[in-house]
């Protein structure tokens, strides 16, 4: 019946077009449900029917089907915000997925394997954006639905037969797409969340964590993807603690470190890596730093990661012809090695070897052994870092300079932030002039043998603030006197100066005791106790 409907749609022109395509939609839904319940019925599906559905999905033959964008007027009709063409595409994608699953996963029709693999390829193409039906809303929903169906393929036991590395890279680039419509997240953010949900539910292998690593290039979804990475790795650590194992084959599927070869290969072949050509690979360095930080925090296996990166530099890319250059892959490895070595001494990076296999296993689909000993030695010793590469600086001074627009001089040179002058302290004598914006009492003399205040009763000097007012003003912003300089609260340098100033004006109890001790030593043995008592009671 579905074949008859497609044939009628091809020769029917615009006559009864809406009714014909509504029937196609309903029939696609029915066939999809039947295939999901009875996969053995895939034997009765011809390659011509799969081709018709697939061509409609990627939008290549809409001129023949009279489903181009300009023809979608009142005759076609629009329901639920989606055109008739978009509904056919979305249900066609479901039909192709169930057909491919019945053939590849359930092995219902071995003679239709080529058609099933082609159906998966059409899903990947539709997710990439080769959809020509309708407007932006139609394209957005059709692409998101096609990406959802394509990600489900990763959960098949025979997924490698249907999804080769080329299609995997094409699908992973959907995470970089910033297409969006009103009220919906970007397509890249939606795709990253879909992969995250599948990884958390363990519905797809852990090696596809590399897709989230590539999605870190997407600036609009970067903060969300960071949390996805940390959550997936943390949950996998908990799983390994509950079910520890020494089986190398199982560890390849459960250790988060084994996602590193896939991430290196995917980043090296990405368009974002090629476009990051400023001489420093700044964006790539940031992406790898975030990923490695999550990978090695806590129970991360630091020596294992180092050994794996060094081993990758001795192999060749198996997805390219023999003898082709592997500079991109080696560059990614060297950047990762520099980051690991630079952070190895940090307190939140573990240097202990966790439970892992005695030998490292690399995926043979991605890497092959290099039998040329001289080339292997040369690659191991050579540095493939960019010409102007430098490690990221996360120090406090770098953050202040990055926030302060006045931290550079007229020639573009970075100037060091000004450090507030330290307050000099002379034991036994403290001087403070009233009216200078200070919250401390006025000048008092602690000269031995002469006391200006009566013990047990403190009388502040004329013009100095009272004790209660000093307590009320403590911790507040210091208001300068007339002609003084106001510290801008929005300036990081000003915040640093104000913090140091408050520390000088309001010393800690330990500093008070140190000052009292110095005063006692300088006053001599005759008046030591008197000066000690006076210092302790007259301190503001």
């Amino acid at each position: 019946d579905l074949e008859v409907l497609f044939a009628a749609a091809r020769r029917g022109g615009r006559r009864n077009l809406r009714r014909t395509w509504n029937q196609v939609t309903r029939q696609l839904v029915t066939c999809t449900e039947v295939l999901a319940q009875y996969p053995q019925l895939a034997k009765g599906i011809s390659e011509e029917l799969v081709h018709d559905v697939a061509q409609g999905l990627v939008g290549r033959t809409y001129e023949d089907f009279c489903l181009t964008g300009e023809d979608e007027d009142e005759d076609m009709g629009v329901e639920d915000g989606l055109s008739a063409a978009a509904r056919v595409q979305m249900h066609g994608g479901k039909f192709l997925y169930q057909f491919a699953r019945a053939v590849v996963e359930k092995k219902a029709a071995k003679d239709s394997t080529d058609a099933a693999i082609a159906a998966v390829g059409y899903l990947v193409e539709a997710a990439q954006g080769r959809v020509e039906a309708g407007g932006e809303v139609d394209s957005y929903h059709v692409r998101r639905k096609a990406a959802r169906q394509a990600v489900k393929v990763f959960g098949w036991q025979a997924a490698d037969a249907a999804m080769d590395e080329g299609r995997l890279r094409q699908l992973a680039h959907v995470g970089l797409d910033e297409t969006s419509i009103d009220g919906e997240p970007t397509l890249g953010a939606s795709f990253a969340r879909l992969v995250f949900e599948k990884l958390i539910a363990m519905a797809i292998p852990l090696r596809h964590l590399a897709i989230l690593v590539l999605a870190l290039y997407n600036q609009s979804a970067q903060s969300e993807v960071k949390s996805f990475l940390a959550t997936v790795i943390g949950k996998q650590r908990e799983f390994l603690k509950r079910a520890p194992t020494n089986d190398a084959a199982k560890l390849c599927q459960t250790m988060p470190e084994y996602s590193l070869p896939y991430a290196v290969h995917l980043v090296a072949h990405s368009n974002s890596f090629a476009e990051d050509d400023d001489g420093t690979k700044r964006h790539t360095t940031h992406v790898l730093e975030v990923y490695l930080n999550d990978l090695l925090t806590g129970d991360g296996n630091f020596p294992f990661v180092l050994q794996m990166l060094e081993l990758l530099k001795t192999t060749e890319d198996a997805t390219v012809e023999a003898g082709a250059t592997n500079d991109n892959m080696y560059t990614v490895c060297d950047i990762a090695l520099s980051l690991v070595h630079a952070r190895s001494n940090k307190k939140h990076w573990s240097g202990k070897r966790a439970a892992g296999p005695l030998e490292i296993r690399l995926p043979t689909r991605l890497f092959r052994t290099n039998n040329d000993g001289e080339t292997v030695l040369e690659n191991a010793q050579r540095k493939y870092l960019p010409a102007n590469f430098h490690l990221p600086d996360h120090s406090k001074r770098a953050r202040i300079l990055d926030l302060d627009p006045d931290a550079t001089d007229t020639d573009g040179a970075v100037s060091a932030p000004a450090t507030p002058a330290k307050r000099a302290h002379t034991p036994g004598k403290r001087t403070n002039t009233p009216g200078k914006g200070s919250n401390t009492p006025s000048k008092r003399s602690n000269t031995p043998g002469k006391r200006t205040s009566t013990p047990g009763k403190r009388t502040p000097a004329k013009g100095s603030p009272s004790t209660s007012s000093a307590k009320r003003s403590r911790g507040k912003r210091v208001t300068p006197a007339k002609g003084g300089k106001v510290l801008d609260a929005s300036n990081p340098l000003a915040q640093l100066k104000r913090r140091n100033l408050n520390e000088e004006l309001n010393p800690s109890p330990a500093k008070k005791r140190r000052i009292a001790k110095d005063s006692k030593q300088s006053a001599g043995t005759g008046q030591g106790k008197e000066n000690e008592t006076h210092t302790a009671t007259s301190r503001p």
Side-chain angles (χ1 to χ4, degrees):
D1 291 341
L2 191 56
E3 291 177 352
V4 171
L5 288 173
F6 269 99
R10 279 197 295 271
R11 65 174 180 266
R14 294 188 58 78
R15 191 175 185 180
N16 297 326
L17 191 60
R18 178 179 179 181
R19 184 179 63 182
T20 301
W21 284 103
N22 284 338
Q23 291 176 348
V24 169
T25 301
R26 287 194 296 270
Q27 199 65 27
L28 279 171
V29 173
T30 303
C31 291
T32 302
E33 294 175 352
V34 170
L35 276 176
Q37 190 171 2
Y38 305 102
Q40 63 272 18
L41 295 181
K43 298 178 180 179
I45 298 177
S46 64
E47 292 188 12
E48 182 181 2
L49 175 59
V50 174
H51 179 74
D52 285 341
V53 178
Q55 292 297 314
L57 176 66
V58 296
R60 292 177 179 172
T61 56
Y62 278 126
E63 292 79 4
D64 297 336
F65 291 166
C66 298
L67 287 176
T68 54
E70 61 266 14
D71 289 334
E72 293 185 11
D73 51 16
E74 63 276 6
D75 294 332
M76 288 296 300
V78 176
E79 298 178 6
D80 301 329
L82 296 177
S83 64
R87 292 198 302 275
V88 171
Q89 285 179 304
M90 295 176 70
H91 292 295
K94 293 181 180 180
F95 172 80
L96 291 178
Y97 169 77
Q98 290 297 342
F99 168 73
R101 180 172 177 268
V103 175
V104 178
E105 180 73 358
K106 303 298 182 181
K107 298 179 175 57
K110 296 182 179 180
D111 55 345
S112 302
T113 302
D114 293 339
I117 294 176
V120 175
Y122 286 124
L123 290 173
V124 175
E125 291 182 12
Q128 278 188 291
R130 302 182 186 182
V131 182
E132 301 175 3
E136 295 181 357
V137 177
D138 287 348
S139 177
Y140 176 87
H141 287 287
V142 171
R143 292 182 62 189
R144 188 168 69 170
K145 182 63 70 174
R148 180 174 293 274
Q149 301 299 331
V151 168
K152 289 182 180 180
V153 176
F154 295 149
W156 299 351
Q157 294 181 356
D160 294 342
M163 185 79 71
D164 58 12
E165 296 305 320
R167 289 176 178 171
L168 174 60
R169 289 198 298 267
Q170 294 176 0
L171 185 62
H173 277 77
V174 178
L176 305 177
D177 198 310
E178 297 188 3
T179 304
S180 63
I181 59 176
D182 294 340
E184 297 288 345
T186 63
L187 192 61
S190 177
F191 178 76
R193 176 169 288 278
L194 170 64
V195 175
F196 164 71
E197 292 173 353
K198 295 294 183 181
L199 286 170
I200 285 293
M202 296 185 179
I204 61 178
L206 187 62
R207 64 176 180 267
H208 295 298
L209 188 70
I211 297 178
L212 294 181
V213 177
L214 183 64
L216 287 172
Y217 279 104
N218 190 344
Q219 298 294 328
S220 61
Q222 192 175 86
S223 59
E224 190 175 19
V225 175
K226 286 181 181 179
S227 63
F228 291 164
L229 275 173
T231 304
V232 172
I233 294 175
K235 183 173 181 180
Q236 200 63 29
R237 299 286 186 209
E238 296 177 358
F239 173 78
L240 287 174
K241 288 181 179 180
R242 293 195 303 267
T245 179
N246 292 326
D247 188 358
K250 292 183 179 179
L251 287 174
C252 289
Q253 302 174 2
T254 55
M255 281 186 67
E257 287 83 359
Y258 267 108
S259 64
L260 182 58
Y262 298 92
V264 169
H265 192 273
L266 188 58
V267 170
H269 285 271
S270 66
N271 298 332
S272 300
F273 178 81
E275 295 170 358
D276 190 13
D277 56 353
D278 59 350
T280 62
K281 295 294 183 183
R282 181 170 59 90
H283 296 296
T284 301
T285 303
H286 176 69
V287 167
L288 293 176
E289 184 185 25
V290 172
Y291 169 56
L292 291 172
N293 187 32
D294 290 334
L295 199 64
L296 294 175
T297 299
D299 295 333
N301 200 332
F302 166 74
F304 185 73
V305 171
L306 275 181
Q307 186 179 356
M308 179 177 290
L309 289 172
E310 293 169 355
L311 181 61
L312 286 174
K313 287 194 66 176
T314 65
T315 61
E316 293 180 343
D317 192 347
T319 60
V320 298
E321 298 179 358
T325 179
N326 299 279
D327 289 355
N328 287 354
M329 187 179 73
Y330 297 152
T331 300
V332 176
C333 289
D334 275 343
I335 293 176
L337 281 170
S338 300
L339 289 169
V340 175
H341 282 299
R343 299 300 183 92
S344 60
N345 295 327
K346 297 294 183 181
K347 60 182 180 180
H348 58 282
W349 287 63
S350 175
K352 300 179 181 179
R353 176 176 291 277
L358 297 178
E359 62 179 72
I360 298 176
R361 297 186 178 185
L362 297 179
T364 56
R365 295 177 59 192
L366 302 182
F367 307 97
R368 60 170 171 260
T369 305
N370 190 345
N371 297 322
D372 188 354
E374 295 181 0
T375 305
V376 170
L377 183 60
E378 180 184 356
N379 292 336
Q381 295 177 350
R382 179 183 172 184
K383 297 297 183 182
Y384 290 85
L385 294 173
N388 300 322
F389 174 79
H390 58 84
L391 292 171
D393 187 5
H394 298 294
S395 62
K396 182 183 294 185
R397 178 178 181 275
R399 291 196 298 269
I400 292 176
L401 293 178
D402 187 47
L403 293 173
D404 185 16
D406 299 330
T408 57
D409 54 21
T410 55
D411 297 332
V414 177
S415 58
T419 304
K422 294 185 177 180
R423 175 179 159 186
H425 170 69
T426 304
K429 184 176 182 181
R430 292 184 295 130
T431 303
N432 184 23
T433 305
K436 297 296 183 180
S438 173
N439 290 337
T440 57
S442 59
K443 180 178 178 182
R444 294 194 305 270
S445 176
N446 290 340
T447 306
K450 182 179 180 181
R451 295 179 56 184
T452 57
S453 60
T454 305
K457 183 179 181 181
R458 286 184 53 192
T459 304
K462 184 178 181 180
S464 63
S466 61
T467 305
S468 59
S469 61
K471 290 183 178 180
R472 288 195 302 268
S473 62
R474 183 173 300 175
K476 297 184 179 180
R477 178 181 175 182
V478 178
T479 304
K482 185 176 181 181
K485 184 178 180 181
V486 179
L487 298 180
D488 186 6
S490 63
N491 191 337
L493 292 177
Q495 295 176 4
L496 181 62
K497 294 178 181 178
R498 186 170 63 252
R499 184 167 61 253
N500 292 337
L501 183 60
N502 288 336
E503 291 177 357
E504 294 294 336
L505 296 180
N506 302 310
S508 62
K511 190 172 183 179
K512 293 179 182 179
R513 291 192 295 271
R514 187 169 60 254
I515 294 174
K517 184 177 180 181
D518 294 341
S519 300
K520 177 181 177 181
Q521 293 176 356
S522 62
T525 57
Q527 299 292 335
K529 292 185 179 181
E530 181 181 357
N531 284 326
E532 181 182 0
T533 306
H534 175 72
T535 304
T537 56
S538 61
R539 189 70 178 172

